[in-house]
Amino acid sequence: MRATVTTVAWPVAAVGAAARGRWPVRRAAILTLTDGDARGFGEAAPLPGFGDDDLAAATTALQRWADGDRAAPASASARFAIDTAVASLAAARAGTTLARHWGAATDPATLATAAVVDDADGARAAVAAGARALKVKLDGARDRARLVAIRAAAPTVALRADANRAWPLAEVDARLADLAGLGLAFVEEPAAGLGPTLRAPRPVPIALDESLAEPDRDAWLDGALASGAVAALVLKPTVLGGVAPVRALAARAHARGVAALLSHALEGPIAFAAAHALAAAIAPATIHGLGPHPALDAWRATAGDAAALDAATLDAAALDAALARLRVTP
């Protein structure tokens, strides 16, 4: 088996609530495994400023792994890339898909996903396109008014809000109470430090995302899951460090009747496809946070190869052609 590491980059479209203009360029390290005619791919694409992981650390870790040091790296995104590359190579050898290799009985393309919207017009368009859930990024500017308008435009679909830890911890309950009449499925990550305080239901259910990467997570997570306050865990394999941690967290959530939602970190199509495959294996009936995002739009436009975006296949020939156009010269 031959292992190679390639660094790629592509612009992020300056549109859409998911991007918010924070990452004008996305970069990733791609691990490619080749065994005869079979190939496997993995993508390490840490978000800048999100935890301790960064692209330099991920690239170094993948290169060491490719050179024969098979110890698990510290880089969470590198661990996910290795998991994906090894599994997709095994799937290619067996003539099956990554999703089925990971135990999925359904096609990842059939997964229900939430659409990120900013306003009532976006909500109506998303529902018309078949969205079964909507996610609204809160930004402090007329949040309640926007949610009221979006709920009126889409009265029958699940409505989720994401505060991205922007609320003061002391104001969480009051702010949740202000939103309690809107039928929100949950508010995701209202404030930093909230997880350890969850011991009883809150005015609106909570979803945990960034909190799951905190080093003290295991000291308080089971108590939070048992509290009745948590509706969902939002699981990002790139951030959490691969397949095993995601499966373990999903099992802990399911044991308490809490949903486990797979989500992305604005990666390219390799990690995006892997997240779909893992979602199909772990929770095929759940509405996941895996709708298309601006980084994929720009990847498609820059690479010029739509076939490489097939979420179920990780088509080797298409990816080879696309990655060649995105390669960054060391």
Side-chain angles (χ1 to χ4, degrees):
M1 180 183 73
R2 183 168 61 91
T4 59
V5 179
T6 303
T7 304
V8 299
W10 66 97
V12 176
V15 296
R20 293 290 188 212
R22 294 170 63 189
W23 301 286
V25 176
R26 286 295 278 131
R27 301 177 186 275
I30 309 299
L31 175 63
T32 303
L33 305 181
T34 304
D35 183 12
D37 293 333
R39 275 175 289 177
F41 299 89
E43 176 186 352
L47 273 175
F50 228 70
D52 297 331
D53 202 2
D54 60 34
L55 184 62
T59 304
T60 298
L62 290 181
Q63 191 60 61
R64 286 176 178 167
W65 192 93
D67 291 340
D69 180 358
R70 298 302 163 85
S75 165
S77 62
R79 295 198 300 274
F80 182 44
I82 292 166
D83 283 353
T84 301
V86 170
S88 59
L89 178 63
R93 286 168 172 160
T96 189
T97 65
L98 178 60
R100 292 196 180 277
H101 177 78
W102 275 337
T106 59
D107 184 344
T110 67
L111 289 173
T113 61
V116 179
V117 300
D118 281 325
D119 53 31
D121 288 342
R124 280 187 284 266
V127 172
R132 290 171 48 195
L134 303 177
K135 179 175 178 177
V136 181
K137 294 276 191 175
L138 305 181
D139 59 14
R142 300 180 62 251
D143 282 337
R144 192 179 195 284
R146 284 198 303 131
L147 288 170
V148 168
I150 289 168
R151 171 49 81 204
T156 62
V157 301
L159 184 57
R160 304 166 174 177
D162 186 357
N164 285 120
R165 297 184 143 191
W167 296 358
L169 183 59
E171 296 180 13
V172 167
D173 280 338
R175 294 194 183 203
L176 291 175
D178 187 48
L179 303 179
L182 302 180
L184 292 175
F186 55 71
V187 173
E188 185 178 331
E189 287 289 340
L194 180 64
T197 75
L198 296 175
R199 291 294 178 267
R202 297 296 175 107
V204 176
I206 301 297
L208 299 175
D209 179 358
E210 292 94 333
S211 296
L212 301 176
E214 295 289 352
D216 65 344
R217 175 196 70 202
D218 289 333
W220 54 261
L221 180 58
D222 287 332
L225 291 172
S227 69
V230 180
L233 299 187
V234 180
L235 307 175
K236 292 183 170 76
T238 285
V239 174
L240 296 173
V243 174
V246 168
R247 286 190 186 274
L249 286 167
R252 289 167 74 174
H254 290 158
R256 294 289 187 176
V258 172
L261 315 179
L262 271 289
S263 187
H264 59 74
L266 291 177
E267 306 100 331
I270 298 173
F272 191 65
H276 274 80
L278 194 52
I282 288 174
T286 298
I287 303 176
H288 294 278
L290 292 171
H293 59 77
L296 287 178
D297 293 341
W299 201 99
R300 183 194 298 268
T302 306
D305 203 322
L309 290 170
D310 286 345
T313 60
L314 294 183
D315 178 75
L319 279 170
D320 279 346
L323 292 172
R325 301 178 77 167
L326 299 170
R327 184 170 290 119
V328 174
T329 302

PDB file of all heavy atoms in Angstrom, residues 3-4 25 30 42 45 55 76 103 109 123 130 207 222 261-262:
ATOM      1  N   ALA A   3       1.018   5.430   0.451  1.00  0.00           N
ATOM      2  CA  ALA A   3       0.292   6.531   1.076  1.00  0.00           C
ATOM      3  C   ALA A   3       0.942   7.852   0.680  1.00  0.00           C
ATOM      4  O   ALA A   3       2.167   8.002   0.775  1.00  0.00           O
ATOM      5  CB  ALA A   3       0.312   6.385   2.592  1.00  0.00           C
ATOM      6  N   THR A   4       0.132   8.798   0.225  1.00  0.00           N
ATOM      7  CA  THR A   4       0.633  10.117  -0.133  1.00  0.00           C
ATOM      8  C   THR A   4      -0.235  11.187   0.517  1.00  0.00           C
ATOM      9  O   THR A   4      -1.416  10.977   0.792  1.00  0.00           O
ATOM     10  CB  THR A   4       0.626  10.325  -1.662  1.00  0.00           C
ATOM     11  OG1 THR A   4      -0.710  10.171  -2.159  1.00  0.00           O
ATOM     12  CG2 THR A   4       1.540   9.325  -2.353  1.00  0.00           C
ATOM     13  N   VAL A  25     -10.836  31.391   2.459  1.00  0.00           N
ATOM     14  CA  VAL A  25     -10.182  30.271   1.797  1.00  0.00           C
ATOM     15  C   VAL A  25     -10.201  29.075   2.746  1.00  0.00           C
ATOM     16  O   VAL A  25      -9.974  29.230   3.950  1.00  0.00           O
ATOM     17  CB  VAL A  25      -8.712  30.610   1.430  1.00  0.00           C
ATOM     18  CG1 VAL A  25      -8.004  29.400   0.840  1.00  0.00           C
ATOM     19  CG2 VAL A  25      -8.656  31.781   0.459  1.00  0.00           C
ATOM     20  N   ILE A  30      -4.970  16.102   2.128  1.00  0.00           N
ATOM     21  CA  ILE A  30      -5.644  14.912   1.602  1.00  0.00           C
ATOM     22  C   ILE A  30      -4.696  13.723   1.694  1.00  0.00           C
ATOM     23  O   ILE A  30      -3.580  13.763   1.179  1.00  0.00           O
ATOM     24  CB  ILE A  30      -6.066  15.110   0.140  1.00  0.00           C
ATOM     25  CG1 ILE A  30      -6.849  16.413  -0.030  1.00  0.00           C
ATOM     26  CG2 ILE A  30      -6.862  13.907  -0.347  1.00  0.00           C
ATOM     27  CD1 ILE A  30      -8.116  16.497   0.766  1.00  0.00           C
ATOM     28  N   GLY A  42      -8.828  10.371   2.461  1.00  0.00           N
ATOM     29  CA  GLY A  42      -9.244  11.013   3.697  1.00  0.00           C
ATOM     30  C   GLY A  42      -8.878  12.480   3.648  1.00  0.00           C
ATOM     31  O   GLY A  42      -7.910  12.871   2.975  1.00  0.00           O
ATOM     32  N   ALA A  45      -9.335  18.837   7.429  1.00  0.00           N
ATOM     33  CA  ALA A  45      -9.619  20.242   7.140  1.00  0.00           C
ATOM     34  C   ALA A  45     -10.053  20.949   8.413  1.00  0.00           C
ATOM     35  O   ALA A  45     -11.215  21.316   8.573  1.00  0.00           O
ATOM     36  CB  ALA A  45     -10.696  20.359   6.064  1.00  0.00           C
ATOM     37  N   LEU A  55      -3.971  23.252  10.281  1.00  0.00           N
ATOM     38  CA  LEU A  55      -3.595  22.503   9.087  1.00  0.00           C
ATOM     39  C   LEU A  55      -2.142  22.044   9.134  1.00  0.00           C
ATOM     40  O   LEU A  55      -1.819  20.949   8.670  1.00  0.00           O
ATOM     41  CB  LEU A  55      -3.847  23.353   7.837  1.00  0.00           C
ATOM     42  CG  LEU A  55      -3.582  22.636   6.517  1.00  0.00           C
ATOM     43  CD1 LEU A  55      -4.497  21.426   6.344  1.00  0.00           C
ATOM     44  CD2 LEU A  55      -3.736  23.594   5.342  1.00  0.00           C
ATOM     45  N   ALA A  76      -6.991  16.071  15.659  1.00  0.00           N
ATOM     46  CA  ALA A  76      -8.299  15.434  15.513  1.00  0.00           C
ATOM     47  C   ALA A  76      -8.672  15.255  14.046  1.00  0.00           C
ATOM     48  O   ALA A  76      -9.182  14.207  13.636  1.00  0.00           O
ATOM     49  CB  ALA A  76      -9.364  16.256  16.235  1.00  0.00           C
ATOM     50  N   GLY A 103     -21.309   0.073   8.105  1.00  0.00           N
ATOM     51  CA  GLY A 103     -22.481  -0.571   8.684  1.00  0.00           C
ATOM     52  C   GLY A 103     -23.807   0.024   8.312  1.00  0.00           C
ATOM     53  O   GLY A 103     -24.840  -0.371   8.871  1.00  0.00           O
ATOM     54  N   ALA A 109     -27.353   9.239   0.373  1.00  0.00           N
ATOM     55  CA  ALA A 109     -28.050  10.244  -0.425  1.00  0.00           C
ATOM     56  C   ALA A 109     -29.496  10.422   0.005  1.00  0.00           C
ATOM     57  O   ALA A 109     -30.132  11.426  -0.343  1.00  0.00           O
ATOM     58  CB  ALA A 109     -27.992   9.875  -1.907  1.00  0.00           C
ATOM     59  N   ALA A 123     -36.309  30.629   4.013  1.00  0.00           N
ATOM     60  CA  ALA A 123     -37.059  29.517   4.600  1.00  0.00           C
ATOM     61  C   ALA A 123     -38.058  28.945   3.606  1.00  0.00           C
ATOM     62  O   ALA A 123     -38.172  27.723   3.445  1.00  0.00           O
ATOM     63  CB  ALA A 123     -37.768  29.978   5.864  1.00  0.00           C
ATOM     64  N   GLY A 130     -37.637  20.941  -0.339  1.00  0.00           N
ATOM     65  CA  GLY A 130     -37.755  19.671   0.362  1.00  0.00           C
ATOM     66  C   GLY A 130     -37.131  19.611   1.733  1.00  0.00           C
ATOM     67  O   GLY A 130     -37.107  18.539   2.350  1.00  0.00           O
ATOM     68  N   ALA A 207     -28.829  22.068  22.334  1.00  0.00           N
ATOM     69  CA  ALA A 207     -27.970  21.148  21.594  1.00  0.00           C
ATOM     70  C   ALA A 207     -26.519  21.501  21.900  1.00  0.00           C
ATOM     71  O   ALA A 207     -26.165  22.676  22.017  1.00  0.00           O
ATOM     72  CB  ALA A 207     -28.226  21.229  20.094  1.00  0.00           C
ATOM     73  N   ASP A 222     -22.599  12.988  30.951  1.00  0.00           N
ATOM     74  CA  ASP A 222     -23.688  12.070  31.298  1.00  0.00           C
ATOM     75  C   ASP A 222     -24.740  12.751  32.161  1.00  0.00           C
ATOM     76  O   ASP A 222     -25.942  12.505  32.011  1.00  0.00           O
ATOM     77  CB  ASP A 222     -23.138  10.821  31.982  1.00  0.00           C
ATOM     78  CG  ASP A 222     -22.414   9.900  31.011  1.00  0.00           C
ATOM     79  OD1 ASP A 222     -22.764   9.902  29.824  1.00  0.00           O
ATOM     80  OD2 ASP A 222     -21.490   9.193  31.446  1.00  0.00           O
ATOM     81  N   LEU A 261     -26.754  14.084  15.929  1.00  0.00           N
ATOM     82  CA  LEU A 261     -26.773  14.674  14.599  1.00  0.00           C
ATOM     83  C   LEU A 261     -25.358  14.810  14.077  1.00  0.00           C
ATOM     84  O   LEU A 261     -24.496  15.384  14.745  1.00  0.00           O
ATOM     85  CB  LEU A 261     -27.403  16.074  14.634  1.00  0.00           C
ATOM     86  CG  LEU A 261     -28.690  16.281  15.430  1.00  0.00           C
ATOM     87  CD1 LEU A 261     -29.115  17.742  15.350  1.00  0.00           C
ATOM     88  CD2 LEU A 261     -29.791  15.373  14.920  1.00  0.00           C
ATOM     89  N   LEU A 262     -25.094  14.303  12.897  1.00  0.00           N
ATOM     90  CA  LEU A 262     -23.797  14.530  12.266  1.00  0.00           C
ATOM     91  C   LEU A 262     -23.802  15.885  11.569  1.00  0.00           C
ATOM     92  O   LEU A 262     -24.807  16.301  10.992  1.00  0.00           O
ATOM     93  CB  LEU A 262     -23.502  13.425  11.254  1.00  0.00           C
ATOM     94  CG  LEU A 262     -22.775  12.175  11.774  1.00  0.00           C
ATOM     95  CD1 LEU A 262     -21.323  12.483  12.094  1.00  0.00           C
ATOM     96  CD2 LEU A 262     -23.478  11.571  12.977  1.00  0.00           C
TER      97      LEU A 262
END
